[in-house]
Amino acid sequence: MARLRIEGRELTLGWQLGAAFGVLVAVALARSAIQAFDVGPLLMVTIGVVGPVIGVAVGIATVRSLRGPLEHVRQTLGRLASGDLTARASVAGPAEVRAVVRSLNSLADQTELLQRKEDERRRGEQLERDVALAVGRHLDLDKVMRAAVDLLGPCLHVDRVNIRLLGESQPAIAAEWTAPGVTPDDEALAAAAPPSLVRLVQDSFAQNEMVVIGDVETDSRLAPEDVNMLRTFPIRSLVVCLLRVGHDAVGVLTLQMANEPRHWSAVELTMIDSLAGEIGIAIDHALTYRREQEVVTRLEELDQAKTDFVSSVSHELRTPLTSIMGYVEMLEDGDAGELTSEQHAMVEIVERNSRRLLTLIEDLLTLSRVEAGRFRLSIGRVSVAGVIENAALAVRPAAHAKSIALATDVASDVGDIDGDAGQLERALLNLLSNAVKFTPDGGRVTVSAQNVEEEIEIAVTDTGIGIPLEEQTALFKRFFRSSTSQQLAVEGTGLGLAIVKTVIELHGGDVTVESTPGEGTTVRVRLPEHIESAARVEEGARQ
Amino acid sequence: VIDHEAPVLVVEDDDDVRKLVMIRLERLGFPVRGAATGEAGLESAQAEPPQLLLLDIYLPGIDGWEVLRRLRENEQLARTPVLVISVRDPNGDPFEVDGYLVKPFRAAEIEAMVTRIMGRDGEGIS
């Protein structure tokens, strides 16, 4: 209604203008006629009547010729303003109006182009973000490439997208996406390697450029026989782009149209270039990750091989030891006749050193079993006092030889605990022999046990040479030997404490060391009275 | 019924260890036979069924477990008591045996094991 009213007013205005114009023309004509011809009043009257009529007629004609085209322009402007950038006015009406319409259309053309570019740019940025997000989400190489082609294909409206990895061998297609109904690219193209296309790709890559072929049928850079070959795949249009990380190329990205030529706009190509950068980085990360995984696997295999080796060598050593110890035993038993005391002393040395060798083999085997996750405790109720007693008994001869006073002090409330008696005894014996080994002649070694906060604490204290503070943390590592033990040429392998720690920890306990160089060392072992479950022991064994 | 006249068979590829074990068993008063391979051991067992088999596991050719498998398939030999001479602790072994002699072992261990197996079987009969 408002519109009609406005039109009505315009119309009225048109009439009024036309009439006013007519009157003015009539008056002017009358005046000039009077002046020029001195016409009579009749003529004056005639003119007075005809003038306004002409004026009105002219007014009507003017309004009619302007009204249609201007209205059309007005409507077109309205559509453009409301966002329909495809709206154009048709060129019609008076020359001036036509000029206006042409300017308007040209302006609309430019606006639409700008808008399209802006949209494309924004789409490109969004796609770039999506691709970066999608490929960055994975560390697995195949997933990275899968994500990239799956996203690029539909977004870039191509028929095929594929990625080939460069490197080891012939770059086979590592990932591909094809539009529905499009036959996948196959290795046939790579195998056929159309020479002019290969040359084009090589030249472009050498100059750090991508290959853009809008239409293979019209591209003069391609040889006719190669075009024939491309036609059979079919490939009509393609973009080939290096996936680069810095100066290193990791792969090649190919975008193809199967049957239709395509104009690849500058904006699109810039976008493809950026996307190739994102994908290149993601592939590089995945490749790095894969290489690291391979290194880890290799190291694990080496570690396993080492464990197996130690285990098999230890086993192999046991057979000759069986003979050495067995025949020595026969000699000692007098099976080959009575030995002189000198011979007996010598045989005893052989026997003792065989035992040492055996202990070393046992330790190596134990550690290899621990590492292979095959070390198991056989848990039962163990008398702490009994374990201490046995260990002290075993080390007493060595202590006696060095005039070391060996004392045991087990509190009366220390009873039985859950544990593997053999392994606990072995651990304690290890600690005691260390104490004796590192205590000078005439010193003192004490082993005590007491209840501390519902745990049993066993402490082995000596008045030995002590351990430098900076070496105390490394003490329980395999093959660690303190500087003092090396200076004093105390024999040992550095395996003992590593085994002690393993055994105690498998029992759910821990071992700590306090030592003052020159004064002595105390090793404290804490053991829970109950091992919560067998599962925990199993778990510990597998670590 | 344990045939105390039947030999104790020692299957062990290491000559020195085999000889050592055989000497120890002879000292205990057993007639003893030795074999250096699983195949030779099986032949010996078939020719002269032993009252006890001491069997090493790591053998050239067929290993100790294969010897044991074939022994158990043989009706005549299936119930022969077996003492495994091994370099390792029994752990997940495929056959149940009468005992393990873990290398290196002392004379007293051989004696105790053999006496235990023979004695137990003796009780079983009576």
Side-chain angles (χ1 to χ4, degrees), chain A residues 377-454:
Chain A
L377 297 178
S378 58
I379 303 289
R381 289 303 280 176
V382 179
S383 154
V384 176
V387 167
I388 291 175
E389 188 103 353
N390 286 343
L393 202 66
V395 85
R396 208 167 282 282
H400 183 72
K402 289 177 80 179
S403 309
I404 290 170
L406 179 63
T408 57
D409 174 20
V410 180
S412 56
D413 60 345
V414 172
D416 294 353
I417 59 168
D418 285 346
D420 182 323
Q423 295 298 343
L424 284 177
E425 209 172 293
R426 176 188 190 171
L428 196 57
L429 178 59
N430 227 309
L431 295 178
L432 280 173
S433 10
N434 270 350
V436 170
K437 252 195 277 182
F438 293 103
T439 299
D441 291 9
R444 198 175 63 250
V445 171
T446 311
V447 50
S448 63
Q450 57 180 326
N451 261 311
V452 179
E453 294 159 9
E454 293 178 16

Side-chain angles (χ1 to χ4, degrees), chain B residues 33 56 59 62 75 87 99 102:
Chain B
R33 303 285 179 274
D56 186 17
L59 292 169
I62 61 167
E75 220 171 284
V87 288
V102 179

Side-chain angles (χ1 to χ4, degrees), chain A residues 87-144:
Chain A
R88 296 289 184 275
S90 50
V91 183
E96 292 81 351
V97 173
R98 287 205 302 274
V100 167
V101 166
R102 270 195 291 272
S103 298
L104 171 69
N105 283 349
S106 144
L107 205 62
D109 284 346
Q110 283 175 30
T111 309
E112 193 189 356
L113 192 69
L114 278 175
Q115 185 62 47
R116 210 184 303 140
K117 279 190 175 166
E118 175 61 19
D119 286 351
E120 219 172 323
R121 197 184 57 76
R122 215 176 292 154
R123 253 206 332 272
E125 280 175 1
Q126 182 59 45
L127 183 57
E128 231 173 279
R129 275 196 296 274
D130 289 350
V131 166
L133 205 67
V135 298
R137 195 176 293 146
H138 305 290
L139 269 177
D140 179 83
L141 186 59
D142 291 328
K143 285 183 183 160
V144 166

